[in-house]
């Protein structure tokens, strides 16, 4: 009997020892997978760059055995007490014991170069971002799969209080009353993006951070995304890892990215578009720390300098590398996804240590004057009370039913009567005076153009095609040319050069959206009003024959002038209008060049070969008067059929036509793009098609 008891105890002990050994092996194997594979590779087909899942630089098996950390380095947890003098503690020395042997001695040049490449991609996307690209989530969406284990008022650690004070000033110092600590854990079943219920698999996904709207700051204590946890689980189980799309659609809640979660909570806590500082407390990601240590070693500053540590901007390799790290890339994603709200920022990184083995990062997202022209569409939020309306909001408070496109049919009918040259109306005007004024303007314009040809180079800003998202609605479709233009190109170029329908792109632009002006202010939509009409540009773009044919053009600046005049108010100066009342991309010459260059690139044509700029059915009264005056002097009547009359810049008539509203746009285009277009010898042809006024500029190379 005693022998049996001893045998059973021996067997139980052996089984217990065997189980312990197996658990230890599983733990080590699990940790090895995490350090070997790390974050999943970025997907360039899904959102171009999956900025929150930066691929890992492989770590050697020998190093993994040396580290021996189960499930990777663990983020600290915050332990609150009821005593006001106690503060959330980070890892105690006991918690840090397993980290005393560093996983990287001096940082890796390989890590640095890799993450600089990631940072370059992210920075290019930030520069190109012109409007918000992410879904707006309400904080209630966090009820789907998430639990707020803590949501209380509590100040961050002293190092962050001091850092914000040093960067933002005494008035921005975080306090217990202004700081909100939120600890989220992905620990519940959820409904995925396809509307399917998903049973939770236990995981370690969580986000813990301080939101401090009064300080324009967020301090991130810990991040571990559900996306990463899904990838890790499939890798650990030895199963094929789903694609990024499959993970986002099936395996995680709709609200799961750090950037989306953080923005939703920031807005919930009263944060606005003035978010400026994002701190990363106790960075536990080995790749980020490797990059930081490499930078410290190259700067000769030792391993652990305190705040402010080292500072780098986006004009440095160090800044780009830090942006590309797992702890920097989330901020890039936030700025890309919320470009409309946050605008363009000049990012500066401070890297430092708050205490031994506690690497930290402070990201300062500075608004700059140069970047205040961010081409992001921003809408004015309805004022809470009438007294809170700004001057611009009062001026542009227009009923929606008067705006385009509801009013487009009425507007087109109204403008139809202006397309014909009316002899009676022209007689009532002082045509000679209008002609002299246009001649004077044209001479001055030609002087500017020739000066640009002589070596001043391009003088205008280069806008990306995405700039047209700021305030404009765009429609782009193939279309057959009107008969009069088929006739013109048949005569000018030959029947084999007349473009087919597929060669012609008809683009309509209407300024019918609120926009972000050059001063960084939100401006409500003013188009479609009875007082001012609608700013619009309609044109054919035909790179195959180096041509643009304008069907209609009403500039935003002229709409603003009409509105002020109709309201009986003093019309602002051109400079004031450009700065405050129109989108940055508003002038016909800039809009036309931007669109033509984009379409030419799509057609594999050279945009710099642009030659023909035509105006169909001219409705501008000043241009009509000058044309009628020239027709009258040359032929004795106001109607001259095709082929019409041709003039060069060596003639008075040619200069006068250059000085008309319809000629000045072509003049500005030649001046502003002189370097790209090269020296030109322009000639202008005018005629009437029935009662419609027509004009073509042939910008022949000199």
């Amino acid at each position: 009997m005693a022998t049996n008891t001893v045998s059973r105890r021996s067997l139980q002990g052996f089984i217990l020892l065997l189980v312990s050994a197996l658990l230890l092996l599983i733990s080590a194997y699990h940790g090895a997978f995490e350090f070997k594979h790390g974050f999943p590779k970025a997907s360039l087909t899904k959102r171009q760059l999956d900025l929150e899942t930066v691929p890992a630089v492989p770590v050697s098996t020998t190093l993994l055995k040396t580290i021996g950390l189960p499930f990777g380095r663990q983020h600290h947890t915050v332990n609150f007490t009821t005593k006001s003098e106690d503060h959330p503690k980070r890892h105690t020395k006991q918690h840090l014991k397993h980290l005393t042997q560093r996983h990287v001695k001096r940082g890796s040049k390989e890590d640095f170069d890799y993450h600089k490449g990631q940072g370059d991609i992210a920075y290019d996307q930030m520069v190109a971002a012109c409007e918000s690209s992410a879904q707006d989530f309400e904080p209630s969406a966090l009820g789907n799969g998430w639990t707020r284990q803590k949501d209380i008022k509590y100040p961050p650690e002293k190092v962050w209080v001091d850092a914000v004070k040093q960067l933002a000033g005494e008035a921005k110092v975080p306090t217990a009353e202004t700081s909100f600590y939120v600890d989220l854990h992905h620990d519940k079943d959820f409904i995925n993006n396809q509307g399917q219920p998903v049973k939770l698999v236990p995981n370690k996904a969580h986000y813990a951070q301080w939101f401090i709207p009064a300080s324009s700051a967020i301090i991130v204590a810990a991040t571990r995304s559900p996306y990463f946890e899904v990838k890790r689980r499939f890798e650990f189980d030895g199963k094929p890892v789903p694609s990024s799309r499959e993970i986002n659609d099936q395996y995680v809640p709709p609200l799961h990215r750090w950037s989306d979660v953080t923005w939703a909570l920031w807005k919930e806590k009263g944060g606005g578009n003035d978010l400026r500082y994002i701190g990363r407390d106790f960075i536990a990601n080995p790749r980020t720390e490797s990059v930081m240590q490499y930078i410290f070693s190259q700067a000769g500053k030792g391993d652990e300098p305190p705040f402010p540590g080292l500072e780098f901007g986006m004009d440095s390799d160090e800044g780009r590398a830090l942006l590309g790290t797992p702890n920097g890339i989330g901020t890039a994603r936030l700025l890309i996804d919320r470009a409309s709200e946050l605008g363009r920022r000049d990012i500066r990184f401070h890297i430092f240590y708050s205490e031994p083995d506690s690497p930290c990062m402070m990201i300062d997202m500075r608004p700059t004057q140069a970047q205040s022209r961010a081409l992001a569409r921003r809408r004015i939020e309805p004022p809470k009370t009438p007294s809170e309306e700004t001057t611009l909001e009062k001026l542009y408070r227009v009923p929606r039913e008067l705006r385009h496109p509801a009013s487009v049919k009425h507007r087109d009918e109204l403008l139809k009567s202006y397309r014909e040259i009316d002899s009676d109306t022209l007689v009532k005007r002082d045509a000679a005076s209008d002609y002299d004024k246009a001649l004077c303007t044209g001479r001055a314009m030609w002087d500017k153009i020739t000066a640009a040809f002589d070596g001043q180079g391009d003088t205008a800003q280069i806008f990306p095609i995405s700039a047209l998202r700021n305030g404009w609605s765009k429609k782009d479709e193939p279309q057959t040319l009107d008969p009069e233009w088929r006739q013109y190109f048949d005569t000018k170029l030959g029947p084999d050069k007349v473009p087919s329908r597929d060669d012609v792109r008809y683009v309509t632009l209407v300024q019918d959206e609120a926009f972000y002006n050059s001063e960084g202010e939100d401006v409500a939509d003013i188009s479609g009003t009875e007082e001012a009409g609608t700013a619009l540009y309609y044109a054919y773009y035909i790179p195959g024959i180096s041509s643009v044919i304008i069907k209609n053009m009403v500039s935003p600046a002229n709409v603003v002038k009409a509105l002020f005049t109709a309201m009986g108010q003093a019309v602002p100066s051109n400079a004031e209008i450009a700065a405050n009342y129109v989108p940055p991309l508003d002038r016909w010459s800039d809009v036309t060049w931007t669109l033509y260059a984009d379409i030419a690139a799509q057609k594999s044509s050279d945009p710099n070969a642009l030659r023909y700029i035509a105006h169909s059915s001219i409705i501008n009264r000043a241009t009509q008067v000058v044309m009628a005056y020239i027709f009258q002097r040359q032929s004795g009547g106001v109607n001259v059929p095709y082929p019409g009359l041709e003039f060069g810049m060596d003639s008075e008539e040619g200069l006068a036509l250059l000085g008309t509203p319809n000629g000045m746009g072509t003049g500005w285009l030649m001046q502003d793009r002189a370097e790209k277009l090269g020296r030109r010898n322009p000639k202008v042809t005018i005629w009437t098609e029935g009662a419609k006024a027509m004009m073509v500029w042939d910008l022949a190379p000199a």
Side-chain angles (χ1 to χ4, degrees):
M1 191 71 177
T3 303
N4 291 339
T5 302
V6 172
S7 298
R8 282 198 299 271
R9 288 179 179 175
S10 299
L11 180 61
Q12 290 173 351
F14 175 75
I15 292 173
L16 181 61
L17 181 62
L18 180 62
V19 169
S20 299
L22 285 173
L23 289 174
L24 183 60
L25 286 173
I26 291 172
S27 177
Y29 180 71
H30 201 167
F33 254 94
E34 176 158 318
F35 274 88
K36 182 177 181 181
H37 298 285
F39 281 6
K41 286 192 175 181
S43 170
L44 296 180
T45 59
K46 175 67 173 174
R47 298 176 71 167
Q48 292 183 300
L49 176 68
D50 195 343
L51 292 176
E52 291 188 2
T53 56
V54 179
V57 177
V59 182
S60 70
T61 305
T62 303
L63 180 59
L64 289 171
K65 291 179 179 178
T66 303
I67 299 170
L69 302 181
F71 299 95
R73 296 181 61 182
Q74 302 301 302
H75 289 290
H76 65 280
T77 55
V78 179
N79 180 26
F80 292 95
T81 69
T82 57
K83 298 180 181 180
S84 60
E85 66 273 12
D86 288 336
H87 193 276
K89 301 295 183 182
R90 284 197 286 205
H91 283 29
T92 62
K93 295 298 180 181
Q94 183 67 27
H95 292 146
L96 286 169
K97 182 179 293 185
H98 70 288
L99 300 177
T100 54
Q101 184 173 10
R102 307 287 293 215
H103 65 281
V104 180
K105 292 296 183 184
R106 184 56 69 177
S108 164
K109 177 68 162 58
E110 182 184 4
D111 285 1
F112 179 89
D113 291 341
Y114 172 79
H115 288 101
K116 181 190 176 297
Q118 295 294 302
D120 288 340
I121 296 173
Y123 182 75
D124 289 343
Q125 291 190 33
M126 286 166 52
V127 171
C130 297
E131 65 175 336
S132 296
S133 57
Q135 179 181 348
D136 278 326
F137 289 94
E138 294 295 329
S140 58
L142 291 171
N144 183 27
W146 296 90
T147 297
R148 300 193 192 204
Q149 294 197 357
K150 291 184 176 66
D151 187 349
I152 61 174
K153 288 185 176 182
Y154 213 95
E157 291 184 325
K158 185 177 184 299
V159 63
W160 295 109
V161 173
D162 293 342
V164 172
K165 179 180 179 180
Q166 184 170 332
L167 292 174
E170 188 73 38
K172 292 279 191 177
V173 172
T175 65
E177 189 60 31
T178 62
S179 304
F180 302 88
Y181 180 80
V182 180
D183 187 7
L184 280 177
H185 285 251
H186 177 38
D187 57 2
K188 295 194 304 185
D189 299 343
F190 59 92
I191 304 297
N192 67 16
N193 265 315
Q194 297 181 335
Q196 302 167 333
V198 178
K199 185 72 175 177
L200 179 78
V201 176
N203 64 89
K204 297 184 178 183
H206 68 290
Y207 299 122
Q209 44 200 339
W210 281 273
F211 297 89
I212 320 170
S215 304
S216 303
I218 295 172
I219 308 300
V220 183
T223 60
R224 195 178 183 94
S225 72
Y227 182 102
F228 171 73
E229 285 291 287
V230 171
K231 299 271 286 191
R232 185 187 63 82
R233 186 174 75 245
F234 274 89
E235 289 172 341
F236 179 74
D237 292 342
K239 298 178 180 178
V241 177
S243 67
S244 295
R245 180 181 294 275
E246 289 174 325
I247 292 177
N248 286 322
D249 287 347
Q250 302 177 31
Y251 296 98
V252 294
L255 180 51
H256 69 93
R257 292 181 182 274
W258 174 84
S259 54
D260 292 334
V261 170
T262 298
W263 185 251
L265 287 171
W266 173 253
K267 301 295 285 187
E268 180 194 68
K269 299 304 180 185
N273 299 339
D274 61 342
L275 173 61
R276 176 162 173 176
Y277 306 103
I278 295 181
R280 290 280 185 167
D281 191 28
F282 188 71
I283 292 172
N285 187 284
R287 290 172 295 285
T288 302
E289 193 172 359
S290 174
V291 172
M292 291 174 65
Q293 288 188 2
Y294 179 80
I295 293 173
F296 286 137
S297 66
Q298 293 300 302
K301 295 293 184 181
D303 284 342
E304 300 182 348
F307 186 83
L310 299 180
E311 181 180 357
F312 303 98
M314 292 299 96
D315 56 350
S316 68
D317 290 346
E318 292 85 353
R320 297 292 185 93
L322 290 166
L323 183 68
T325 62
N327 293 85
I329 213 78
T331 298
R333 182 80 268 164
L334 180 65
L335 288 170
I336 293 167
D337 287 347
R338 308 299 166 184
S340 298
E341 293 86 353
L342 297 174
R344 300 287 179 87
R345 300 297 183 97
D346 179 14
I347 296 181
R348 310 288 299 181
F349 280 88
H350 290 267
I351 55 173
F352 60 99
Y353 279 76
S354 59
E355 60 185 58
D357 288 310
S358 298
C360 298
M361 176 187 294
M362 173 65 94
I363 306 171
D364 183 355
M365 305 181 295
R366 303 176 182 176
T368 65
Q369 183 64 29
Q371 292 174 327
S372 67
R373 292 176 62 89
L375 305 174
R377 180 167 54 198
R378 293 185 170 190
R379 297 184 178 276
I380 295 178
E381 297 180 0
K384 296 179 180 179
T385 64
S387 62
E388 294 182 17
E389 289 185 316
T390 66
T391 302
L392 284 177
E393 289 172 323
K394 290 178 181 178
L395 180 61
Y396 295 141
R397 189 167 7 100
V398 178
R400 170 53 62 180
E401 61 269 15
L402 295 180
R403 302 179 186 179
H404 184 84
S407 62
V408 65
K409 183 177 180 181
H410 172 68
R411 186 203 67 244
D412 283 347
E413 291 175 352
L414 191 64
L415 293 179
K416 186 177 181 180
S417 62
Y418 289 95
R419 291 198 174 99
E420 299 181 355
I421 294 183
D422 184 344
S423 300
D424 293 337
T425 301
L426 298 181
V427 169
K428 296 176 184 178
R429 297 185 61 148
D430 186 353
S433 175
D434 286 351
Y435 176 86
D436 290 341
K437 183 185 299 183
L439 177 59
C440 180
T441 302
R443 281 176 174 151
M445 184 79 254
W446 183 241
D447 287 343
K448 294 177 182 178
I449 294 169
T450 53
F453 287 158
D454 288 338
Q456 290 187 0
D458 292 357
T459 58
Q461 179 179 350
I462 299 296
F463 290 91
I465 190 65
S466 56
L468 291 172
R469 299 173 186 167
N470 182 32
W472 297 92
S473 292
K474 176 187 171 188
K475 187 177 181 181
D476 183 350
E477 60 187 1
Q479 194 169 109
T480 302
L481 278 181
D482 296 334
E484 57 265 29
W485 293 112
R486 297 182 64 83
Q487 177 191 27
Y488 173 81
F489 288 112
D490 186 355
T491 304
K492 192 78 174 177
L493 304 175
D496 60 323
K497 295 292 186 180
V498 176
S500 66
R501 184 178 188 275
D502 291 338
D503 296 326
V504 179
R505 296 276 288 278
Y506 184 56
V507 180
T508 60
L509 284 178
V510 180
Q511 193 219 321
D512 61 352
E513 302 284 351
F515 58 89
Y516 188 43
N517 70 15
S518 296
E519 296 297 316
E521 300 171 319
D522 295 321
V523 181
D525 171 27
I526 67 169
S527 61
T529 67
E530 292 181 340
E531 297 89 350
T534 304
L536 52 89
Y537 297 124
Y538 295 174
Y540 297 112
Y541 292 84
I542 322 169
I545 55 172
S546 305
S547 302
V548 174
I549 303 174
I550 296 93
K551 294 281 287 184
N552 210 338
M553 53 187 293
V554 180
S555 73
N558 283 338
V559 169
V560 171
K561 292 176 182 179
L563 181 60
F564 274 90
T565 300
M567 297 177 65
Q569 298 186 17
V571 177
S573 67
N574 289 336
E576 290 175 322
I577 292 175
N580 300 303
Y581 299 103
V582 295
L585 180 51
D586 73 301
R587 298 194 313 162
W588 173 86
S589 56
D590 291 334
V591 169
T592 298
W593 178 260
T594 301
L595 278 168
Y596 184 80
D598 180 67
I599 294 172
Q602 296 177 35
K603 298 287 187 179
S604 300
S605 298
D606 180 9
N608 301 334
L610 175 62
R611 177 164 176 174
Y612 300 102
I613 298 178
H615 295 262
S616 183
S617 303
I618 292 172
I619 65 173
N620 186 280
R621 281 305 197 198
T623 303
Q624 286 184 349
V625 168
V626 173
M627 291 176 65
Y629 183 78
I630 293 173
F631 288 148
Q632 188 75 40
R633 289 206 322 180
Q634 295 285 331
S635 65
V638 295
N639 289 298
V640 176
Y642 184 80
L645 305 173
E646 182 182 83
F647 305 97
M649 294 302 100
D650 55 352
S651 71
E652 186 180 275
E653 291 84 357
L655 292 173
L657 290 166
L658 181 64
T660 63
N662 292 79
M664 287 292 286
T666 300
W668 281 114
L669 184 65
M670 286 190 286
Q671 177 192 332
D672 291 345
R673 314 297 170 184
E675 183 176 349
K676 292 181 173 59
L677 294 173
R679 185 178 295 275
R680 300 298 180 98
N681 181 24
K683 293 184 178 181
V684 56
T685 301
I686 56 173
W687 75 95
T688 57
E689 192 71 33
K692 295 184 292 186
M694 318 289 279
M695 176 188 292
V696 177
W697 290 87
D698 180 357
L699 310 182

